[in-house]
Amino acid sequence: MNILVTGGVGYIGSHTAVKLIEAGHTPIVVDSLVNSNVESLARIEQITGTKQLFYKADLRDRDALDAIFSSNRLDAVIHFAGLKAVGESTEKPLYYYQNNLDSTLVLLDVMQAHAVKKLVFSSSATVYGSAPVPYVETYPAGQGITNPYGRTKYFVEEMMSDVAKSDDTLEFTSLRYFNPVGAHPSGLIGENPNGTPNNLMPYITQVAVGKRDKLGIFGDNYDTIDGTGVRDYIHVDDLAEGHLAALIHATPGYHTVNLGSGRGTSVLELVHAFEVAAGVTIPYKILPRRSGDLPAYYADASLAASRLNWRTTRTIEDACRDSWNWQSKNPEGYN
């Protein structure tokens, strides 16, 4: 299949492009490069021996997107493009709504104009809000979401659902991620945040290479195994394979599927696993809880196993080893 990968230069998009190529598909990448680095395309070529067809474009530019669809026979779209920093979304809500919603509206419109009927969307476990754990797809989404980023994911899901109801030949899937970690085992591609990392693993790895003095852990008095927050961490290569599975097993209609391990890991458990994998000590400081943080959340991943024939195969230890391999070989990321 020829698959348009929006945001395909980013962390999850680049790993998914590798998996698509290895499975015999052709990814066509479009990215605005607002929060990604074009160097990852060269690294994908090193891994796969295949040069990517790449378009630098903002999805909100309908003419540019229409030209991409007109120039390529596309079978499907995987939609990663969007802003993704929770904290920034609370400071700049309009910026997030304009980017994440407008870009998807244009994408859906252009897909319809070119009769491209298969779409896999990069959604998030944040759509569950503060629902009881484990999160199950049958829970009502959209209630108690604590930030604009999460609401943009929920609103896009609602758009997709409405559009799919209007045409019973459409095959739309929203993949609700939990917490991606790890990197490609080659060490050539990995998570490359701009500025201060928003996610735990790149913060840990930057402390490990000396870019940062210590890790800040927000709260150690939650009702969890060690008082720190518990999350469902999933290796990025498992996550990438989940997108391929969603394409292969797509059926008409709109579907939501969790992509998670189904297991919770605390912040301190992840830190200690990384210390073992990397052979380094990670100094940390306990900070006050952050407003809106939940004590624990993790997936019920049974639907992904039954519908997509997908489950995680990599461990927390694998993710820590691969993250350290990436960061130690690329202490400044792609720069």
Side-chain angles (χ1 to χ4, degrees), residues 50-62:
T50 303
K51 188 175 180 62
Q52 302 304 288
L53 180 57
F54 169 64
Y55 296 92
K56 182 182 177 183
D58 189 315
L59 291 190
R60 293 173 295 175
D61 184 341
R62 194 190 193 286

Side-chain angles (χ1 to χ4, degrees), residues 13-329:
S14 60
H15 286 78
T16 301
V18 169
K19 294 297 180 183
L20 291 172
I21 293 165
E22 290 174 347
H25 302 294
T26 302
I28 293 136
V29 175
V30 57
D31 200 301
S32 68
L33 302 181
V34 166
N35 53 14
S36 55
N37 192 309
V38 74
E39 171 63 19
S40 72
L41 294 174
R43 304 290 185 89
I44 293 170
E45 185 176 356
Q46 280 184 259
I47 294 167
T48 64
T50 303
K51 188 175 180 62
Q52 302 304 288
L53 180 57
F54 169 64
Y55 296 92
K56 182 182 177 183
D58 189 315
L59 291 190
R60 293 173 295 175
D61 184 341
R62 194 190 193 286
D63 290 341
L65 193 58
D66 186 70
I68 293 168
F69 274 73
S70 297
S71 300
N72 299 277
R73 184 186 61 78
L74 298 173
D75 300 296
V77 176
I78 302 179
H79 182 28
F80 294 107
L83 302 172
K84 61 180 183 178
V86 169
E88 184 184 52
S89 79
T90 64
E91 299 165 2
K92 303 176 180 178
L94 289 178
Y95 181 50
Y96 270 67
Y97 288 127
Q98 288 165 352
N99 276 270
N100 294 0
L101 300 186
D102 288 355
S103 61
T104 307
L105 284 168
V106 172
L107 175 63
L108 289 169
D109 188 39
V110 174
M111 285 180 64
Q112 186 175 64
H114 291 268
V116 178
K117 297 181 179 293
K118 188 175 295 193
L119 172 65
V120 176
F121 172 56
S122 164
S123 191
S124 167
T126 56
V127 302
Y128 289 112
S130 54
V133 294
Y135 290 168
V136 183
E137 291 88 347
T138 53
Y139 284 168
Q143 300 178 10
I145 298 174
T146 58
N147 56 78
Y149 160 76
R151 277 187 282 275
T152 65
K153 293 294 188 182
Y154 171 65
F155 292 152
V156 169
E157 286 196 3
E158 290 293 285
M159 288 182 206
M160 291 174 61
S161 176
D162 287 340
V163 173
K165 289 172 185 174
S166 73
D167 182 347
D168 60 11
T169 67
L170 297 177
E171 299 177 356
F172 284 2
T173 306
S174 286
L175 299 178
R176 293 173 173 171
Y177 305 169
F178 283 71
N179 293 67
V181 289
H184 192 271
S186 67
L188 287 169
I189 57 174
E191 191 165 8
N192 182 46
N194 292 329
T196 303
N198 294 297
N199 299 324
L200 177 59
M201 184 65 89
Y203 210 113
I204 292 172
T205 61
Q206 289 188 11
V207 171
V209 295
K211 287 189 69 174
R212 302 189 183 277
D213 293 334
K214 63 184 64 172
L215 172 69
I217 297 177
F218 297 98
D220 65 347
N221 57 353
Y222 288 110
D223 184 16
T224 62
I225 187 171
D226 54 26
T228 63
V230 168
R231 300 292 182 263
D232 188 336
Y233 297 99
I234 172 175
H235 196 293
V236 66
D237 272 348
D238 279 330
L239 188 57
E241 289 168 359
H243 291 80
L244 181 58
L247 287 175
I248 293 169
H249 296 283
T251 56
Y254 172 71
H255 310 281
T256 59
V257 183
N258 289 338
L259 291 188
S261 70
R263 298 180 298 276
T265 300
S266 76
V267 172
L268 282 178
E269 285 177 323
L270 186 64
V271 169
H272 296 326
F274 184 87
E275 289 177 325
V276 171
V280 299
T281 298
I282 302 298
Y284 63 84
K285 178 180 181 180
I286 302 298
L287 301 173
R289 294 185 186 185
R290 290 182 298 193
S291 176
D293 273 357
L294 298 173
Y297 63 81
Y298 49 92
D300 179 321
S302 56
L303 184 62
S306 60
R307 177 181 286 278
L308 306 182
N309 193 30
W310 173 93
R311 54 185 54 80
T312 58
T313 61
R314 297 164 180 87
T315 65
I316 288 294
E317 291 74 22
D318 293 333
C320 291
R321 181 198 64 231
D322 292 339
S323 292
W324 177 235
N325 186 38
W326 151 256
Q327 191 76 77
S328 60
K329 290 178 177 176

